[in-house]
Amino acid sequence: MAKSDSKAGSLKSVFALLLLFGPALILIFISTRGCEHKFKELDDYGVIPAFSFTDGKGKVYTNQTFKNKIVIYTTIQPSCPDSCGVSIWHVDQLIYQRLRENQKKLGHVKLVSILTDNNGNPDKRIQDVEFMLKDRVDGYDPNIWIVVSGDAKSIYNIKHNGQTLLQKDKKYFGGNSFLELMLLADKTNHLRMVLPGKTESTIRTMRDHMALLEKEYDIKAYKLKKKSAVAD
């Protein structure tokens, strides 16, 4: 019964996000010849709010730090991997390992986890969490998967369609919806996708949306190169 209740709660979270960011979840691909595949680009939900986070070595990260980077933001708790807002194992297997194994191509993509306690408040036990990741994650590299401390609510303070990501309900981990959410930001710090990070399917979908965003930049670069060649 507990398992069914948990599954129902996850589904409710997904449906809530469908109402909030629904149009971007329906992607239609139309294959054509060459590099210029036509497809629906991810929607742009505007600039992610200003933030200031600090890693375990005291380095400060702001919006400008990730200029020209694609970033997936999550939260993470010292109680992980046993009790977390997102599934650390699936984030590792489906997203981190892809980034680690493809650094030549995906070196500009970062995974940033903001450390909170189980109630969503800032937590500074970064070294404890990094020790856990080194123990649990094959080839853990803190330059790819960055753990930071700060006010996670600041980055999740986003509204769309009259709804906010900062929802409170006992069905969410720690009673806060943002603890379960992953954000995908493009190279200009614009939010392009938000999805729950509790299940394999939604984390896999986020990985696929990351690939779509990559493709968007590849196509733009190809078109620019083609235009320059014609001009010459």
Side-chain angles (χ1 to χ4, degrees), residues 72-191:
I72 294 178
Y73 295 97
T74 75
T75 67
I76 195 168
Q77 292 74 43
S79 56
C80 290
D82 301 316
S83 178
C84 311
V86 301
S87 173
I88 295 302
W89 191 85
H90 287 112
V91 169
D92 168 27
Q93 295 297 306
L94 297 174
I95 296 178
Y96 174 74
Q97 293 303 330
R98 179 173 182 177
L99 299 182
R100 184 179 73 86
E101 294 167 3
N102 295 277
Q103 274 299 282
K104 186 174 182 180
K105 181 180 179 181
L106 299 176
H108 60 282
V109 183
K110 302 298 180 182
L111 177 59
V112 177
S113 291
I114 309 158
L115 182 59
T116 76
D117 63 18
N118 284 12
N119 296 312
N121 301 309
D123 196 297
K124 295 185 178 180
R125 288 173 285 177
I126 295 178
Q127 291 185 343
D128 292 346
V129 171
E130 288 186 332
F131 180 82
M132 178 274 293
L133 291 175
K134 289 176 183 177
D135 181 57
R136 301 277 184 150
V137 176
D138 183 28
Y140 173 69
D141 185 341
N143 295 309
I144 303 173
W145 191 341
I146 306 168
V147 180
V148 295
S149 179
D151 184 9
K153 296 187 193 71
S154 64
I155 201 172
Y156 286 91
N157 188 19
I158 299 169
K159 293 182 179 180
H160 188 72
N161 289 340
Q163 299 291 325
T164 176
L165 297 184
L166 298 178
Q167 297 181 19
K168 286 185 172 293
D169 194 295
K170 62 182 180 180
K171 68 185 178 185
Y172 300 117
F173 179 86
N176 293 285
S177 62
F178 77 92
L179 293 177
E180 299 184 1
L181 299 178
M182 301 181 294
L183 306 179
L184 175 63
D186 65 17
K187 294 181 179 181
T188 61
N189 194 48
H190 280 228
L191 178 64

